[in-house]
Short mmCIF file of all heavy atoms in Angstrom, two decimals:
data_model
loop_
_atom_site.label_atom_id
_atom_site.label_comp_id
_atom_site.label_asym_id
_atom_site.label_seq_id
_atom_site.Cartn_x
_atom_site.Cartn_y
_atom_site.Cartn_z
N ALA A 113 -23.45 46.02 -87.53
CA ALA A 113 -23.78 45.30 -88.76
C ALA A 113 -25.26 44.84 -88.71
O ALA A 113 -25.84 44.55 -89.76
CB ALA A 113 -22.85 44.08 -88.91
N PHE A 114 -25.82 44.72 -87.55
CA PHE A 114 -27.25 44.35 -87.45
C PHE A 114 -28.15 45.48 -87.78
O PHE A 114 -29.36 45.34 -88.00
CB PHE A 114 -27.55 43.77 -86.06
CG PHE A 114 -27.08 42.31 -85.90
CD1 PHE A 114 -25.95 42.08 -85.21
CD2 PHE A 114 -27.87 41.28 -86.45
CE1 PHE A 114 -25.44 40.77 -85.05
CE2 PHE A 114 -27.35 40.01 -86.30
CZ PHE A 114 -26.18 39.67 -85.58
N ILE A 115 -27.63 46.72 -87.69
CA ILE A 115 -28.40 47.93 -87.96
C ILE A 115 -28.14 48.52 -89.36
O ILE A 115 -29.06 48.84 -90.06
CB ILE A 115 -28.04 49.02 -86.86
CG1 ILE A 115 -28.24 48.41 -85.42
CG2 ILE A 115 -28.93 50.27 -87.02
CD1 ILE A 115 -27.53 49.30 -84.32
N TYR A 116 -26.86 48.60 -89.71
CA TYR A 116 -26.44 49.16 -91.07
C TYR A 116 -25.86 48.02 -91.91
O TYR A 116 -25.26 47.10 -91.36
CB TYR A 116 -25.55 50.29 -90.84
CG TYR A 116 -26.01 51.41 -90.06
CD1 TYR A 116 -25.62 51.63 -88.80
CD2 TYR A 116 -26.94 52.34 -90.67
CE1 TYR A 116 -26.08 52.63 -88.01
CE2 TYR A 116 -27.43 53.42 -89.88
CZ TYR A 116 -27.00 53.55 -88.55
OH TYR A 116 -27.47 54.58 -87.83
N ASN A 117 -26.01 48.20 -93.20
CA ASN A 117 -25.44 47.18 -94.12
C ASN A 117 -23.94 47.53 -94.35
O ASN A 117 -23.54 48.40 -95.19
CB ASN A 117 -26.17 47.23 -95.43
CG ASN A 117 -25.70 46.15 -96.40
OD1 ASN A 117 -25.04 45.20 -95.96
ND2 ASN A 117 -26.03 46.26 -97.61
N ILE A 118 -23.08 46.95 -93.53
CA ILE A 118 -21.58 47.16 -93.69
C ILE A 118 -20.97 45.83 -93.98
O ILE A 118 -21.44 44.82 -93.54
CB ILE A 118 -20.99 47.88 -92.44
CG1 ILE A 118 -21.27 46.99 -91.17
CG2 ILE A 118 -21.53 49.26 -92.26
CD1 ILE A 118 -20.46 47.46 -89.98
N PRO A 119 -19.76 45.89 -94.68
CA PRO A 119 -19.07 44.58 -94.86
C PRO A 119 -18.41 44.10 -93.55
O PRO A 119 -17.22 44.26 -93.37
CB PRO A 119 -18.02 44.94 -95.98
CG PRO A 119 -17.83 46.43 -95.86
CD PRO A 119 -19.13 47.00 -95.23
N VAL A 120 -19.19 43.53 -92.72
CA VAL A 120 -18.77 43.21 -91.34
C VAL A 120 -17.61 42.16 -91.35
O VAL A 120 -16.66 42.29 -90.57
CB VAL A 120 -19.92 42.79 -90.48
CG1 VAL A 120 -20.61 41.52 -90.98
CG2 VAL A 120 -19.51 42.60 -89.00
N LEU A 121 -17.68 41.23 -92.31
CA LEU A 121 -16.60 40.16 -92.23
C LEU A 121 -15.26 40.82 -92.63
O LEU A 121 -14.22 40.40 -92.03
CB LEU A 121 -16.93 39.03 -93.24
CG LEU A 121 -18.18 38.26 -92.93
CD1 LEU A 121 -18.38 37.12 -93.87
CD2 LEU A 121 -18.21 37.75 -91.51
N PHE A 122 -15.28 41.81 -93.53
CA PHE A 122 -14.09 42.50 -93.87
C PHE A 122 -13.46 43.31 -92.65
O PHE A 122 -12.37 43.13 -92.33
CB PHE A 122 -14.37 43.47 -94.96
CG PHE A 122 -13.31 44.51 -95.23
CD1 PHE A 122 -12.04 44.20 -95.80
CD2 PHE A 122 -13.51 45.89 -94.93
CE1 PHE A 122 -11.01 45.11 -95.93
CE2 PHE A 122 -12.49 46.79 -95.11
CZ PHE A 122 -11.28 46.43 -95.62
N PHE A 123 -14.41 44.04 -91.99
CA PHE A 123 -13.95 44.80 -90.85
C PHE A 123 -13.39 43.93 -89.68
O PHE A 123 -12.41 44.31 -89.15
CB PHE A 123 -15.09 45.77 -90.32
CG PHE A 123 -15.32 46.94 -91.26
CD1 PHE A 123 -16.62 47.19 -91.73
CD2 PHE A 123 -14.34 47.81 -91.52
CE1 PHE A 123 -16.84 48.29 -92.53
CE2 PHE A 123 -14.57 48.89 -92.36
CZ PHE A 123 -15.83 49.15 -92.86
N ILE A 124 -14.15 42.90 -89.41
CA ILE A 124 -13.64 42.03 -88.25
C ILE A 124 -12.36 41.36 -88.63
O ILE A 124 -11.46 41.27 -87.76
CB ILE A 124 -14.84 40.94 -87.97
CG1 ILE A 124 -16.11 41.64 -87.47
CG2 ILE A 124 -14.33 39.91 -86.95
CD1 ILE A 124 -15.99 42.26 -86.05
N SER A 125 -12.25 40.82 -89.79
CA SER A 125 -10.98 40.11 -90.20
C SER A 125 -9.80 41.08 -90.16
O SER A 125 -8.66 40.77 -89.76
CB SER A 125 -11.09 39.32 -91.48
OG SER A 125 -11.64 40.10 -92.43
N GLN A 126 -10.09 42.37 -90.72
CA GLN A 126 -9.03 43.46 -90.64
C GLN A 126 -8.57 43.72 -89.15
O GLN A 126 -7.43 43.71 -88.84
CB GLN A 126 -9.62 44.70 -91.22
CG GLN A 126 -9.53 44.80 -92.74
CD GLN A 126 -8.33 45.52 -93.20
OE1 GLN A 126 -8.05 46.60 -92.76
NE2 GLN A 126 -7.59 44.87 -94.09
N LEU A 127 -9.61 43.94 -88.29
CA LEU A 127 -9.34 44.31 -86.93
C LEU A 127 -8.54 43.25 -86.15
O LEU A 127 -7.50 43.45 -85.55
CB LEU A 127 -10.72 44.47 -86.15
CG LEU A 127 -11.22 45.86 -86.18
CD1 LEU A 127 -12.64 45.88 -85.55
CD2 LEU A 127 -10.42 46.94 -85.52
N MET A 128 -9.06 41.96 -86.34
CA MET A 128 -8.41 40.84 -85.61
C MET A 128 -6.99 40.54 -86.14
O MET A 128 -6.07 40.27 -85.40
CB MET A 128 -9.26 39.60 -85.62
CG MET A 128 -10.63 39.75 -84.99
SD MET A 128 -10.42 40.41 -83.25
CE MET A 128 -11.58 41.74 -83.23
N SER A 129 -6.86 40.64 -87.49
CA SER A 129 -5.49 40.41 -88.07
C SER A 129 -4.57 41.52 -87.64
O SER A 129 -3.38 41.31 -87.24
CB SER A 129 -5.59 40.43 -89.60
OG SER A 129 -6.45 39.44 -90.04
N ALA A 130 -5.07 42.76 -87.54
CA ALA A 130 -4.26 43.90 -87.10
C ALA A 130 -3.85 43.67 -85.62
O ALA A 130 -2.69 43.93 -85.23
CB ALA A 130 -4.99 45.19 -87.24
#
Side-chain angles (χ1 to χ4, degrees):
Chain A
F114 283 101
I115 305 163
Y116 299 103
N117 185 19
I118 56 167
V120 64
L121 298 184
F122 165 71
F123 285 125
I124 295 291
S125 47
Q126 276 266 308
L127 274 173
M128 298 306 131
S129 302

